[in-house]
Amino acid sequence: MPNIALELGKQSASFGVKSAYGEQQDVDGIRVIPVALTWSGFGGGSDESGNGGGGGGGWAIPLGAYVRRGDDLRFEPNVVSLLAVAIPFVFFAGRALSRVIRALKK
């Protein structure tokens, strides 16, 4: 029986870069390379009887794309996903900061 952890490790060795940067696309002479923030995790285990299992999961947030027009290369952000991530982050960071300030005043 193959070791699940070793097999997952071999398969996911280059997974990070391939999932963060998508395949290059050429659209009307413009070269586009999508960029995402990704996270993944895997786990597994077994008992003394040899019963075991494993699983994994992950998520990706599209950040934008590198766009090449002629000699000009620039990063164009995905504003919708930026707002979807930034609004909850700012909300919870603000709450945490206000609690820290309130605790320091006491």
Side-chain angles (χ1 to χ4, degrees):
M1 176 180 202
N3 189 336
I4 295 173
L6 291 176
E7 290 298 318
L8 284 173
K10 289 177 188 175
Q11 292 176 2
S12 65
S14 64
F15 181 67
V17 173
K18 288 181 181 177
S19 64
Y21 296 97
E23 292 292 324
Q24 171 182 306
Q25 304 290 321
D26 291 323
V27 180
D28 296 330
I30 299 172
R31 185 168 291 169
V32 178
I33 302 172
V35 180
L37 174 67
T38 62
W39 175 87
S40 62
F42 301 97
S46 63
D47 60 10
E48 291 127 8
S49 308
N51 300 321
W59 52 262
I61 299 171
L63 296 178
Y66 284 107
V67 178
R68 179 181 290 273
R69 292 182 182 100
D71 291 336
D72 184 34
L73 176 68
R74 34 193 309 199
F75 179 77
E76 295 185 7
N78 181 344
V79 179
V80 173
S81 67
L82 181 63
L83 289 174
V85 171
I87 290 172
F89 175 76
V90 169
F91 174 75
F92 288 110
R95 285 189 61 155
L97 184 61
S98 71
R99 289 182 182 192
V100 167
I101 291 171
R102 192 177 314 137
L104 292 174
K105 284 184 176 180
K106 290 183 178 183

